[in-house]
Amino acid sequence: MAPRIDHIDSWIFDLDNTLYPPSAKLFDLIDERMGAFIMRLLDVDAVEARRVQKQYFHDHGTTMAGLMRHHGIDPEDFLVDVHDIALDRIAPDARLRAGLERLPGRKLIFTNADADYAARVLEARGIADLFDGICDIRITQYTPKPDPAAYATMIAHLGVDPASSLFVEDMARNLTPAKMLGMTTVWLDNGSESGHRDHLPDHVDFHATDIADWLDNLPQPWGIS
């Protein structure tokens, strides 16, 4: 039996590889800039830079968190540099927009990226006007998901009640803290790199592979099924 959703009044979405598909390969551009940043910072080749990048991502939640901890980087320098990318790989999606429009209550963003970049992505997808708030990595004082402290900050900043909130994420490990707080969780299992890492089925209420499909197939009046 599918979990109830008629009590949900806050619909919280991750950003990258969630509100646009991984097939757009937008994050590949960020990945490349992260690698170049590390090469310059540590004076290493591309192979070593990638090893460091992914190791820090797995160990600390984000590459940036690892670089801050181990190398004392200025997070703002990193954020501005790696998100300086063109967004021509993504475009407005009328079906996604219609699905989001049907959801009652507030629609919110919780991202390990920064709000400036998030706003650009939402605008490129044609859905910026549908969202009521963003909790970004600056708001969490550079503490990333899945650190429980980031979720506590998000709840306070966005003013949500976990018991009536639903959280959509492509990274399974980022759903565990949300579930422990009492949120309804949606794992968008869409092929994101490391999306399956630390997947705990008991912490996933809905398992989806496409965000627009999932929205369309919700019970009425939330979906069109």
Side-chain angles (χ1 to χ4, degrees):
M1 181 177 296
R4 287 178 54 242
I5 60 166
D6 56 356
H7 65 297
I8 300 297
D9 60 19
S10 296
W11 306 79
I12 306 168
F13 294 83
D14 175 49
L15 181 76
D16 284 312
N17 293 333
T18 295
L19 290 176
Y20 64 81
S23 59
K25 298 189 180 299
L26 184 65
F27 205 79
D28 286 7
L29 300 177
I30 297 173
D31 242 12
E32 291 173 7
R33 294 194 68 87
M34 286 185 189
F37 187 97
I38 294 169
M39 288 172 67
R40 295 193 303 272
L41 177 71
L42 303 183
D43 192 23
V44 297
D45 63 18
V47 173
E48 176 61 9
R50 184 159 184 83
R51 184 197 68 78
V52 170
Q53 176 187 349
K54 297 305 175 183
Q55 186 68 52
Y56 288 172
F57 171 72
H58 292 311
D59 291 349
H60 301 284
T62 62
T63 299
M64 185 179 78
L67 292 173
M68 290 173 65
R69 178 169 180 176
H70 296 290
H71 306 285
I73 68 160
D74 182 335
E76 286 302 314
D77 289 345
F78 182 85
L79 288 171
V80 170
D81 188 301
V82 304
H83 290 119
D84 184 19
I85 61 170
L87 300 182
D88 52 359
R89 296 186 178 189
I90 58 175
D93 183 332
R95 185 170 167 232
L96 173 62
R97 180 180 174 87
L100 293 170
E101 286 179 322
R102 289 192 299 271
L103 299 178
R106 296 191 302 155
K107 289 167 278 289
L108 306 158
I109 299 293
F110 182 26
T111 177
N112 281 343
D114 64 84
D116 298 329
Y117 165 75
R120 291 176 59 218
V121 169
L122 295 175
E123 190 67 34
R125 291 292 273 166
I127 55 177
D129 60 306
L130 301 182
F131 286 86
D132 302 291
I134 297 174
C135 182
D136 73 340
I137 197 68
R138 294 188 179 111
I139 295 295
T140 63
Q141 298 180 26
Y142 308 111
T143 300
K145 299 176 283 185
D147 190 314
Y151 296 72
T153 300
M154 179 271 290
I155 288 168
H157 177 70
L158 296 177
V160 300
D161 177 357
S164 59
S165 299
L166 179 145
F167 182 40
V168 184
E169 253 280 358
D170 66 305
M171 306 296 293
R173 67 178 180 177
N174 291 344
L175 294 173
T176 291
K179 189 62 181 173
M180 298 300 288
L181 288 165
M183 294 184 184
T184 300
T185 58
V186 182
W187 180 31
L188 190 57
D189 180 14
N190 58 7
S192 293
E193 180 185 351
S194 300
H196 288 72
R197 188 179 180 89
D198 298 327
H199 169 228
L200 299 175
D202 288 348
H203 294 168
V204 175
D205 293 312
F206 293 93
H207 183 182
T209 57
D210 180 273
I211 186 64
D213 282 347
W214 183 76
L215 290 169
D216 280 354
N217 287 288
L218 288 175
Q220 291 183 352
W222 305 276
I224 59 174
S225 57

